[in-house]
C-alpha cells in the first residue's frame, strides 16, 4: 500500500486528480469506478476544470440507494452527473449508473456487474471510506469475495445521509453496491480519506486486524493501492 499524507483536503484532491488525469493520458480508454460523498467533490471539480478528455473512457458508479431513481435529486446518479459527468466530455453511452428504482434489484446488480466485466473490469476504482469502514456500501460483515448486490444499510450509514434526505426516516433502508470482490479486481485502487472523524477508522484499516467487520481492510491484500490521507485523517496512524 502506498500511503501518502497530504497537508490538507485541497492537496489530497490535487494529488488524486493528478493520478486520474495521468491515467487518462496514458490510457484514454480507462475504465473508472466512481464514488460519491463529500470527500471526492474537490477532486471531481479539479478534473472537470483540468480539460483532460474522457471521450474514450468509461465510468461505473460504485453504489446507489434502493428505491431511488437515477433522476431523483438524492440519487448518487444525480450527484455524479452534477459534480462530474455533466461537466466532462464522457459520452453518456459510456457511463454506467446503477438504477436504484429497478423492479428487480438483484437483476440490476447482475446487469451492472456484467457491463463492467464486458468493459474489461476497472482500471481505477476511486474509493471513499465510510465511518464504519465501508467501501462503496459494503457494510461490516460483507464477504471479501462479494459481488455487486443489494445490501441493508446500517443505522450509522443511514444517519450519515439524514441531512441529505431531510430526516432519518426518509433515508432508504438498502442500497445496491459493487461487491468487495468486484472492487478488488480493479487494477488500481485510489482511496481518499479526509478529516478528523475518520482518524480511528483509518487506523483500523491500515493497522488493525484484517477482518470482514472492517470492509476496507480487504484493500491490504491488493497489490496496487494508493491511500491519500490529509493530516487530520492520518492523526492516529503510526509514523
Ligand atoms: C457514502 C458512499 C461511499 C462513500 C462514503 C464516504 O455514503 N456510499 O461510496 O465513499 O459514504 O462518504 P464521505 O466522503 O462523505 O465521508
Amino acid at each position: 500500500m502506498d500511503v501518502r499524507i497530504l497537508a490538507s483536503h485541497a492537496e489530497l484532491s490535487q494529488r488524486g486528480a493528478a493520478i486520474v488525469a495521468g491515467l487518462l493520458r496514458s490510457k484514454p480508454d480507462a475504465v473508472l469506478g466512481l464514488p460519491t460523498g463529500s470527500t471526492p467533490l474537490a477532486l471531481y471539480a479539479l478534473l472537470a476544470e483540468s480539460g483532460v478528455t474522457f471521450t474514450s473512457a468509461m465510468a461505473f458508479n460504485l453504489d446507489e440507494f434502493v428505491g431511488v431513481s437515477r433522476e431523483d435529486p438524492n440519487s448518487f446518479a444525480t450527484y455524479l452527473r452534477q459534480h462530474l459527468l455533466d461537466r466532462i466530455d464522457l459520452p453518456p453511452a459510456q457511463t454506467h449508473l446503477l438504477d436504484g428504482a429497478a423492479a428487480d434489484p438483484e437483476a440490476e446488480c447482475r446487469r451492472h456487474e456484467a457491463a463492467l466485466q464486458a468493459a474489461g473490469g476497472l482500471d481505477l476504482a476511486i474509493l471513499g471510506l465510510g465511518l464504519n469502514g465501508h467501501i462503496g456500501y459494503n457494510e461490516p460483515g460483507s464477504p471479501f469475495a462479494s459481488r455487486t448486490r443489494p445490501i441493508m444499510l446500517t443505522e450509522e450509514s443511514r444517519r450519515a445521509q439524514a441531512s441529505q434526505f431531510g430526516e432519518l426516516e426518509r433515508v432508504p433502508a438498502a442500497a445496491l453496491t459493487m461487491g468487495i470482490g468486484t472492487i478488488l479486481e480493479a487494477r488500481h485502487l485510489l482511496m481518499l480519506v479526509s478529516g478528523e472523524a475518520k482518524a480511528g477508522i483509518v487506523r483500523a484499516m491500515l493497522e488493525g486486524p484484517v477482518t470482514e467487520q472492517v470492509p476496507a481492510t480487504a484493500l491490504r491484500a491488493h497489490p496496487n493501492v494508493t491511500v491519500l490521507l490529509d493530516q487530520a485523517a492520518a492523526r492516529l496512524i503510526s509514523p
Side-chain angles (χ1 to χ4, degrees):
M1 270 187 164
D2 183 13
V3 181
R4 300 289 164 118
I5 301 171
L6 289 310
S8 63
H9 180 247
E11 279 191 30
L12 171 157
S13 304
Q14 282 162 12
R15 184 69 68 94
I19 291 171
V20 180
L23 170 65
L24 287 165
R25 279 190 211 99
S26 64
K27 190 173 193 292
D29 60 350
V31 181
L32 308 173
L34 301 177
T36 55
S38 55
T39 314
L41 285 172
L43 177 149
Y44 289 154
L46 288 166
L47 278 179
E49 290 155 13
S50 73
V52 66
T53 184
F54 288 76
T55 48
S56 303
M58 239 187 227
F60 288 81
N61 65 348
L62 290 187
D63 48 14
E64 184 57 276
F65 293 108
V66 166
V68 175
S69 75
R70 293 186 183 104
E71 290 68 40
D72 189 297
N74 290 324
S75 70
F76 286 157
T78 297
Y79 165 107
L80 285 173
R81 278 198 305 271
Q82 274 177 359
H83 296 295
L84 184 68
L85 302 173
D86 286 353
R87 306 178 61 193
I88 58 176
D89 58 2
L90 179 69
Q94 290 155 221
T95 302
H96 297 266
L97 299 173
L98 282 156
D99 179 6
D104 183 344
E106 303 264 0
E108 175 60 9
C109 290
R110 285 195 298 274
R111 189 195 61 75
H112 197 65
E113 179 94 27
L116 177 57
Q117 300 305 323
L122 295 172
D123 290 295
L124 178 68
I126 308 172
L127 301 170
L129 179 65
L131 281 171
N132 61 5
H134 69 225
I135 50 174
Y137 257 141
N138 291 283
E139 298 281 34
S142 293
F144 285 175
S146 52
R147 311 306 302 185
T148 306
R149 68 201 187 292
I151 187 163
M152 295 303 291
L153 294 175
T154 61
E155 165 117 9
E156 186 179 19
S157 294
R158 293 181 65 239
R159 277 193 193 285
Q161 296 290 336
S163 62
Q164 174 70 27
F165 282 83
E167 54 180 334
L168 179 61
E169 289 64 35
R170 291 195 189 161
V171 180
L176 309 178
T177 185
M178 260 188 213
I180 297 180
T182 315
I183 291 169
L184 290 179
E185 284 170 9
R187 287 173 276 284
H188 184 190
L189 305 178
L190 173 61
M191 174 173 274
L192 314 171
V193 197
S194 172
E196 178 89 29
K198 301 268 178 76
I201 195 66
V202 165
R203 179 171 60 186
M205 170 178 73
L206 297 177
E207 299 177 5
V210 173
T211 165
E212 290 177 349
Q213 293 314 311
V214 183
T217 60
L219 270 55
R220 300 213 326 243
H222 191 283
N224 190 13
V225 184
T226 305
V227 180
L228 302 182
L229 306 173
D230 64 12
Q231 271 172 353
R235 195 174 62 84
L236 298 177
I237 61 173
S238 314

